[in-house]
Amino acid sequence: MAARSGGTGDQKAGLLYGIGAYGIWGLFPLYWPLLEPAGAVEILAHRMAWSLVAVVLALLVVRRWAWIPVLLRQPGKLGLIALAATVITLNWGVYIWAVNAGHVVESSLGYFINPLVTIAMGVVLLKERLRPAQWAAVGIAFAAVVVLAIGYGRPPWISLVLAFSFATYGLVKKKVNLGGLESLGAETAMLFLPATGYLVWLGMRGDAAFGTAGVGHMALLASTGLVTAVPLVCFGAAAIRVPLSTLGLLQYLAPVFQFLVGVLYFREAMPPERWAGFALVWLALTLLTWDALRTAHRTRAEAARLTARAAAKAQAPAPTAAPDGPALPGPALPGAALPGPEVPELAVPGAEPGPAPATATEAPRP
């Protein structure tokens, strides 16, 4: 999505919103352990239920309800939203469990390789064609997974589940074509009853942590809705103020912060082979980002060239018709459309396809 036209101050505000969104997502590994002794499934259920509450309050503020009756008349879209809700449940659940089980670094790897997995799925499922640099990046990423599998003594399944589940989520969301808040509202509305049903069942069994660890712990569990909605709102504000290329670079802040939290705060082990695997992933992402920025530069240059050519044609003097001859063609009338090739929209690695979040892309929501 193109950034909204505005001054430097508007873009600076968008940059701050973007840093805020990805910063919150990147610091999630510090938040989930605070919710213990609640287990991962109970935390997930609270996140689903309280997220709907937060989204409804946000929609009340912005007064955006017209999409609901339209959506209810489209069973195909409702089916896709149900699929998106299922996939994001898997993504959220695995991420919460992995962080609280001491796999923060491996979780960060999932969001590092997500753009590469998205590209690979585009080739396999959508028959998209890649540029040579993109093929090289995907190949390097595959080599990184092999190296990390050797280092871990097993495939990095947490990373792969996170990456593939979110790539699938992005693919489904592209077809649904709903804004960030609206989409989250529809998904959590579908998840609300199962989530609250599970929490009630857990409470009846006496196994619920909610209400047993003090008022502060109850407030933390209830805050899962705000923690989910606030970065999404910030991301939507950033997406309409900064270019996609900038947003594509900002997306790497979240896994970088997660990685640093895992290594520096939780002191997770990083043997040489793990460093080697991460280095290959970072190399692949560097190559992918360079290719995206180069493509964006070429696209802007081509657009500028076409605009200059159209302006030159519009300003050219009209040829004079011969006195007794047929009239010669003159320039196009003001406002007439000038022919020219369509300029492709830049596809930024990792930016979720679809309309802008608020209506645009929606960022990875770990």
Side-chain angles (χ1 to χ4, degrees):
M1 173 191 169
R4 182 175 74 189
S5 59
T8 305
D10 207 34
Q11 289 211 7
K12 284 183 178 178
L15 191 62
L16 291 176
Y17 279 124
I19 292 171
Y22 286 110
I24 293 172
W25 283 321
L27 296 177
F28 267 9
L30 297 175
Y31 173 72
W32 301 123
L34 299 176
L35 306 183
E36 293 179 327
V41 179
E42 183 179 358
I43 295 172
L44 175 64
H46 275 286
R47 187 180 189 185
M48 293 172 179
W50 292 109
S51 290
L52 179 61
V53 175
V55 170
V56 168
L57 291 175
L59 290 173
L60 279 172
V61 172
V62 297
R63 298 180 181 179
R64 288 211 302 260
W65 304 103
W67 58 276
I68 295 178
V70 176
L71 178 63
L72 292 176
R73 291 194 295 268
Q74 301 181 66
K77 273 196 175 183
L78 288 173
L80 288 173
I81 288 174
L83 177 58
T86 303
V87 175
I88 202 61
T89 296
L90 174 65
N91 183 275
W92 284 358
V94 170
Y95 182 73
I96 293 168
W97 172 84
V99 167
N100 286 357
H103 299 288
V104 176
V105 170
E106 190 175 350
S107 299
S108 74
L109 176 64
Y111 292 103
F112 273 125
I113 66 176
N114 175 66
L116 299 158
V117 170
T118 300
I119 287 175
M121 289 182 68
V123 173
V124 174
L125 300 178
L126 304 179
K127 308 302 180 185
E128 294 178 352
R129 299 179 64 181
L130 301 186
R131 296 182 292 273
Q134 292 174 313
W135 276 116
V138 172
I140 294 171
F142 179 79
V145 171
V146 172
V147 169
L148 287 164
I150 295 172
Y152 279 108
R154 58 171 175 80
W157 69 267
I158 294 173
S159 308
L160 295 174
V161 169
L162 291 175
F164 276 93
S165 62
F166 198 77
T168 304
Y169 179 71
L171 182 63
V172 175
K173 290 287 290 294
K174 182 178 177 67
K175 295 183 177 297
V176 171
N177 198 26
L178 268 182
L181 271 179
E182 292 88 342
S183 176
L184 182 61
E187 292 156 20
T188 52
M190 290 187 172
L191 297 171
F192 183 79
L193 286 180
T196 51
Y198 173 78
L199 292 173
V200 169
W201 174 78
L202 206 61
M204 292 175 64
R205 288 186 54 188
D207 294 332
F210 189 77
T212 63
V215 176
H217 184 259
M218 292 173 63
L220 282 171
L221 283 171
S223 70
T224 52
L226 280 176
V227 166
T228 299
V230 167
L232 179 63
V233 172
C234 289
F235 178 79
I240 61 174
R241 288 173 171 84
V242 298
L244 268 181
S245 54
T246 303
L247 211 57
L249 293 174
L250 285 176
Q251 70 172 319
Y252 297 124
L253 285 177
V256 165
F257 285 175
Q258 293 167 13
F259 176 81
L260 292 176
V261 167
V263 172
L264 301 179
Y265 183 79
F266 290 109
R267 303 290 181 181
E268 292 188 16
M270 283 294 293
E273 59 272 18
R274 203 168 295 175
W275 278 112
F278 269 88
L280 286 173
V281 170
W282 295 332
L283 174 62
L285 291 175
T286 301
L287 184 60
L288 197 65
T289 304
W290 168 78
D291 179 69
L293 293 176
R294 182 185 62 167
T295 303
H297 175 74
R298 289 179 175 177
T299 301
R300 286 194 296 268
E302 178 67 10
R305 185 180 65 81
L306 292 173
T307 301
R309 179 189 295 176
K313 286 182 178 180
Q315 294 172 3
T320 306
D324 298 320
L328 296 176
L333 293 174
L338 291 168
E342 186 175 330
V343 181
E345 183 180 349
L346 168 64
V348 176
E352 180 178 337
T359 320
T361 60
E362 184 177 318
R365 297 197 298 257

